[in-house]
Amino acid sequence: MAVRTLKIDDKDVAVEAGATIMEAAQEAGVQIPRLCHLEGLSPVGACRLCLVEIEGLNKLLPACVTEVWEGMVIQTQTSKLQDYRRMAVELIFAEGNHVCSICVANGNCELQDVAIEVGMDHSRFPYRFPDRGVDLSHERFGIDHNRCILCTRCVRVCDEVEGAHVWDVGSRGASCFIVSGLAQPWGEVDACTSCGKCVDACPTGAIFHKGETTGEKQRDRDKFAFLSTAREEQQWTR
Amino acid sequence: MDLTELREVAQAEKERQGSIRVHCCTSTGCRAASSMEVFRNLEAAVEEHQCGDRIEVVSVGCMGFCGQGPLVQVEPGEQLYEEVEPDDAGSIISATVGKGTASTTQLDPHHPFFAYQTRVVRQNSGNIDPESIEEYIAVGGYESLYKALYEMTPEAVVAEISNSGLRGRGGGGYPTGLKWATVAKMPGDQKYVICNGDEGDPGAFMDRSVLESDPHLVLEGMAIAGYAVGANHGYIYVRAEYPLAIKRLQKAIQQAKKYGLMGSQVFDSPFDFRVDIRIGAGAFVCGEETALIQSIEGGRGNPVPRPPYPAEKGLYNSPTLINNVETLANIAHIIREGADWYASIGTEDSKGTKVFALTGNIRNNGLIEVPMGITLRQIVEDMGGGVPDGEVKAVQTGGPSGGCIPKQLLDTPVDYKSLREVGSMMGSGGMVVMDQDTSMVEIAHFYMEFCRGETCGKCVPCRTGTVQLYGLLTKLLKGQATEADLEQMKALSYMVKDTSLCGLGQTAPNPVLSTLRYFPEEYTSLLVKPAYLNGKTAEPKPVSV
């Protein structure tokens, strides 16, 4: 097995060849912020929070999809990166309804955690107040599109783990939204197995169990292991 | 089919052609000005004069001077009629047979618009019927493919392209030979060649014109590329808004197959090459190579992070060569004339020619093909004839990804490096000229509106950043923005540029940054005046970029 040695934030680390910078960082005990990435699902590099600086390169590269190479020198916390991350989180907050106090995921939300991590206490961008709608047609779950950050974790978990491919992304640009089935109400999509994986994969309060009140949303243990074995172990949280 | 047979086809075609050919442009631009009616009337007039044995009316591709279309050219000779109305057709034929004069004005074929041009890619445009493979063969078509297959090894073809110095004409300017060599060296039995015809920049129509005017040239380039890199399957990705280009390509593929120049055993050699057309539904982002590949695969046209580059892992995870239409249209000429000939055109760093769509506030607009290294001033003032009423203020090159170059930099040579140095880029070849009445903030606003609508929405900075930038520019234009907004706009532009996933987002703020760099006073003059000035105007503060 080939090994690559590199430096992350001045820490030496040795990882298997083919590992990503994010995996190497985990090995070195360095925490890189992320939202779209969920270990076990295919990486997409969409949230751009995990961008890192690499010595000798002008471009910032996403840690979740970039493979390590020998002798790499990586910085994950430069002031430029911190500025950009904070701005990215502000942009997300300005894009939808991310008022934590009235969200089911309050206190249990990855977006909230990332905002705290990057030091975002308010957004300097004007809020856009989009009217994106809420779909409560499913018997057990609901999706509030206003709280969606389009990380596509639900899309990927449903496709890659459950194999149902209920979700996808519709439209483009600022009009993007998560669609179920062929843009049907969620409750009418025959393909949905009601497994709840999308609820567990969602980093915010966008997809939730019906009846949950503010702060009640439960997060599941070792995320991916849980998502992939829940069916056999009969471990659903419903 | 072998070389002798190919030349027999060429000879037969030359003998078939009438001694006088009346070329009538039937490309999209001229069609919009009733050129099809002109064409039909020309044919009717020939019949009326009973001179069909001497005069042949030919439906040809774009002659370039689109602003004066429809154009009709009589060959041999120097008659080039402009703004031809359907009613003028009869008099043109009468004049051609020596009875009277044409009722429409003529263009001077030595006009600077033509004189400065060096035509490589557009050599056959306007001279041959794009829907006839025989006409293409008569001007030497498919001989380069034969030469590559029978006289050169794939390595020699790659070396020839490398030595020519050709760089990607899609805008990035990546050395074409290097890209070909990378794909050629990748292991794997299945490789692909993709022709990127998803042109969507506002003001650009070069690729459309090449595909409409000379589809076989692109097909031949693709087949040579396939042979060089070891691919036997090619895709042409054309946007659905180009129905004529699609129709002509379909016809060209059928014709080439019939002659044994496409499909299995090209020229009876062991080389197979099949070409399929994929029609894009019209998303600007699909011009980005990874998004284009996703789209061909039937997925959503979203870009994916590079590396791995398509050369390593592209279409269906196989090594894929993806080149722009104009790049591929250069190939057959390079193989025929040799790398040294091609390298002798242009500058040290940028070889060959570049096709531009010259539009905007300019006297002569249309398509031009100029040698690299020509200055913007020569293009805009000499060829374009300058701005009709007034003077040039700026030139936008590179579409939404490019920047605005102010008039004091008009002596900048047109090459990859120089354009980048002045904060713009070659892009695929849109060139929009603006006069002194143009508001640069409005221009930035327009391009940001375009990018905001065309972003795929996958990554955060591009999806939400362009919306916020658009909002800030709107605020500025409404006279509601403060200095803090301007600073925020700058900071956000850099953030979107540095952190976006693909080329669309990475270049979306370029029009903002370049206009801020050269026209800061236009931004500061729109800012809200602080109340303490009490009606007096403050000195405009320079903005550092």
Side-chain angles (χ1 to χ4, degrees):
Chain A
M1 187 212 334
V3 171
R4 303 275 178 266
T5 54
L6 53 145
K7 233 181 218 316
I8 303 181
D9 290 347
D10 300 324
K11 289 181 188 168
D12 287 316
V13 55
V15 287
E16 271 180 50
T20 62
I21 296 177
M22 194 170 272
E23 285 159 352
Q26 248 148 10
E27 190 106 358
V30 172
Q31 181 62 31
I32 301 176
R34 70 198 73 171
L35 275 173
C36 65
H37 186 70
L38 180 60
E39 216 168 289
L41 298 182
S42 59
V44 289
C47 70
R48 316 304 284 170
L49 289 176
C50 68
L51 289 177
V52 292
E53 279 187 42
I54 296 161
E55 207 174 87
L57 279 187
N58 287 330
K59 277 176 83 172
L60 307 175
L61 291 181
C64 63
V65 290
T66 310
E67 286 184 14
V68 294
W69 60 81
E70 185 60 38
M72 225 177 183
V73 179
I74 303 163
Q75 294 294 334
T76 71
Q77 298 297 334
T78 62
S79 60
K80 182 169 153 187
L81 290 173
Q82 284 169 335
D83 279 354
Y84 284 169
R85 279 183 196 143
R86 180 182 158 150
M87 216 183 277
V89 177
E90 286 176 50
L91 286 168
I92 297 173
F93 268 82
E95 190 189 22
N97 171 10
H98 299 293
V99 182
C100 302
S101 59
I102 50 159
C103 178
V104 291
N106 190 10
N108 209 343
C109 170
E110 291 178 43
L111 178 63
Q112 200 176 30
D113 295 344
V114 163
I116 294 164
E117 196 179 335
V118 302
M120 194 214 94
D121 45 12
H122 70 288
S123 175
R124 290 165 291 182
F125 297 102
Y127 284 93
R128 294 181 31 236
F129 306 111
D131 184 10
R132 288 171 170 174
V134 180
D135 181 357
L136 294 172
S137 59
H138 194 279
E139 195 188 341
R140 272 198 285 270
F141 315 121
I143 175 167
D144 181 352
H145 292 284
N146 300 297
R147 297 205 182 271
C148 174
I149 58 166
L150 293 159
C151 66
T152 66
R153 280 192 194 183
C154 53
V155 178
R156 286 172 286 150
V157 80
C158 187
D159 179 34
E160 297 167 14
V161 182
E162 181 63 8
H165 203 134
V166 168
W167 302 106
D168 223 316
V169 182
S171 196
R172 71 177 175 219
S175 325
C176 270
F177 65 104
I178 296 290
V179 281
S180 40
L182 297 166
Q184 298 155 279
W186 189 1
E188 292 174 19
V189 180
D190 290 339
C192 180
T193 59
S194 300
C195 70
K197 286 189 172 72
C198 50
V199 185
D200 286 310
C202 181
T204 68
I207 308 183
F208 50 87
H209 286 101
K210 271 187 179 174
E212 270 178 346
T213 54
T214 307
E216 275 187 352
K217 182 160 178 158
Q218 292 296 307
R219 288 270 167 225
D220 289 297
R221 297 78 72 178
D222 293 327
K223 202 60 136 200
F224 194 73
F226 167 74
L227 285 171
S228 52
T229 59
R231 189 175 294 284
E232 296 91 67
E233 315 260 326
Q234 296 285 306
Q235 271 185 332
W236 300 116
T237 49
R238 52 183 106 115
Chain B
M1 172 79 80
D2 59 22
L3 192 59
T4 322
E5 285 167 332
L6 188 77
R7 287 186 175 155
E8 276 168 15
V9 172
Q11 191 53 39
E13 173 60 24
K14 280 178 196 157
E15 282 163 14
R16 186 202 63 79
Q17 289 178 0
S19 51
I20 300 173
R21 280 163 66 89
V22 179
H23 295 159
C24 177
C25 173
T26 55
S27 281
T28 301
C30 284
R31 271 181 191 230
S34 317
S35 77
M36 280 314 287
E37 220 174 312
V38 173
F39 175 69
R40 282 191 289 269
N41 287 1
L42 284 168
E43 280 189 321
V46 167
E47 211 162 294
E48 199 182 303
H49 284 88
Q50 293 175 336
C51 52
D53 52 333
R54 287 183 298 135
I55 301 179
E56 184 190 4
V57 183
V58 192
S59 148
V60 296
C62 180
M63 295 179 212
F65 214 150
C66 307
Q68 303 301 109
L71 296 174
V72 173
Q73 186 185 25
V74 181
E75 278 217 333
E78 292 196 330
Q79 287 93 342
L80 177 58
Y81 300 99
E82 60 178 349
E83 293 180 327
V84 180
E85 302 277 340
D87 292 345
D88 299 324
S91 68
I92 289 176
I93 298 299
S94 302
T96 309
V97 295
K99 294 177 188 163
T101 50
S103 59
T104 183
T105 49
Q106 287 191 37
L107 269 168
D108 173 14
H110 304 291
H111 188 284
F113 186 85
F114 301 110
Y116 279 90
Q117 299 201 37
T118 303
R119 289 170 56 140
V120 176
V121 169
R122 291 179 37 77
Q123 207 173 79
N124 305 326
S125 296
N127 290 325
I128 61 164
D129 179 356
E131 297 191 26
S132 158
I133 190 171
E134 290 82 6
E135 291 215 3
Y136 180 69
I137 293 173
V139 293
Y142 288 106
E143 287 207 14
S144 301
L145 177 59
Y146 185 88
K147 184 177 170 188
L149 291 177
Y150 283 100
E151 294 168 27
M152 299 167 88
T153 59
E155 294 77 24
V157 176
V158 173
E160 196 74 10
I161 300 301
S162 297
N163 294 339
S164 73
L166 177 67
R167 294 171 64 173
R169 296 290 192 254
Y174 190 78
T176 307
L178 191 58
K179 203 185 233 184
W180 285 32
T182 314
V183 181
K185 286 188 179 134
M186 286 302 296
D189 296 333
Q190 184 62 60
K191 295 179 188 177
Y192 296 96
V193 172
I194 297 177
C195 169
N196 183 348
D198 192 63
E199 175 182 60
D201 306 24
F205 51 95
M206 302 76 52
D207 293 348
R208 188 193 74 201
S209 170
V210 172
L211 292 173
E212 283 178 359
S213 309
D214 206 355
H216 285 286
L217 182 65
V218 181
L219 287 181
E220 191 180 356
M222 285 180 76
I224 295 170
Y227 171 70
V229 302
N232 59 15
H233 197 165
Y235 285 95
I236 303 184
Y237 191 94
V238 194
R239 56 196 293 123
E241 288 91 334
Y242 290 177
L244 186 63
I246 294 166
K247 184 187 136 209
R248 287 183 172 170
L249 273 170
Q250 279 166 336
K251 202 162 186 177
I253 293 170
Q254 279 169 2
Q255 290 170 340
K257 267 192 203 157
K258 210 168 136 196
Y259 274 107
L261 305 172
M262 285 288 149
S264 57
Q265 298 184 319
V266 176
F267 273 119
D268 295 324
S269 75
F271 173 63
D272 300 340
F273 195 70
R274 164 190 172 172
V275 176
D276 287 316
I277 300 175
R278 283 290 175 273
I279 300 170
F284 181 65
V285 69
C286 286
E288 202 279 337
E289 55 185 21
T290 59
L292 190 150
I293 287 171
Q294 298 273 316
S295 178
I296 292 183
E297 287 176 357
R300 184 179 156 87
N302 272 2
V304 293
R306 298 175 305 171
Y309 288 90
E312 197 184 322
K313 208 175 166 189
L315 190 61
Y316 305 117
N317 291 327
S318 301
T320 302
L321 175 74
I322 176 161
N323 278 143
N324 165 268
V325 170
E326 195 186 328
T327 316
L328 289 166
N330 275 299
I331 303 302
H333 295 294
I334 294 173
I335 297 298
R336 187 188 310 144
E337 310 284 343
D340 293 340
W341 160 80
Y342 195 79
S344 68
I345 310 169
T347 66
E348 188 58 41
D349 158 68
S350 309
K351 306 287 188 199
T353 60
K354 178 79 193 89
V355 181
F356 286 104
L358 189 59
T359 54
N361 294 321
I362 192 153
R363 210 167 258 128
N364 312 323
N365 62 54
L367 275 189
I368 53 167
E369 183 172 358
V370 287
M372 294 277 192
I374 191 172
T375 64
L376 278 171
R377 190 179 301 283
Q378 283 171 309
I379 294 180
V380 174
E381 292 183 353
D382 298 343
M383 302 178 77
V387 169
D389 314 298
E391 54 175 311
V392 178
K393 180 174 182 178
V395 181
Q396 156 93 18
T397 69
S401 318
C404 295
I405 302 166
K407 69 169 181 195
Q408 63 268 27
L409 294 176
L410 277 186
D411 289 315
T412 307
V414 173
D415 61 63
Y416 289 98
K417 200 165 147 238
S418 308
L419 289 179
R420 211 167 273 277
E421 274 169 7
V422 297
S424 187
M425 63 186 281
M426 186 77 77
S428 53
M431 193 177 275
V432 185
V433 180
M434 295 163 228
D435 67 9
Q436 77 280 1
D437 297 330
T438 315
S439 156
M440 301 317 282
V441 184
E442 276 178 26
I443 289 293
H445 187 251
F446 166 77
Y447 280 107
M448 198 47 72
E449 185 179 14
F450 179 81
C451 290
R452 179 192 69 153
E454 292 297 331
T455 163
C456 70
K458 180 177 176 178
C459 77
V460 173
C462 185
R463 181 181 74 232
T464 66
T466 50
V467 171
Q468 294 289 355
L469 276 172
Y470 175 76
L472 284 164
L473 284 161
T474 309
K475 198 173 171 188
L476 197 68
L477 284 169
K478 281 185 180 167
Q480 296 167 349
T482 61
E483 191 138 350
D485 290 315
L486 196 57
E487 288 303 317
Q488 189 177 36
M489 192 164 79
K490 260 167 40 187
L492 184 56
S493 295
Y494 283 116
M495 184 264 185
V496 174
K497 191 180 161 83
D498 287 349
T499 64
S500 289
L501 194 156
C502 82
L504 194 156
Q506 286 160 8
T507 55
N510 280 357
V512 179
L513 289 171
S514 71
T515 48
L516 259 172
R517 177 170 164 188
Y518 295 117
F519 305 94
E521 66 290 345
E522 294 204 18
Y523 283 83
T524 43
S525 67
L526 290 168
L527 295 179
V528 180
K529 307 282 181 298
Y532 63 82
L533 282 169
N534 212 8
K536 282 179 264 170
T537 49
E539 281 288 300
K541 217 171 151 185
V543 180
S544 56
V545 176

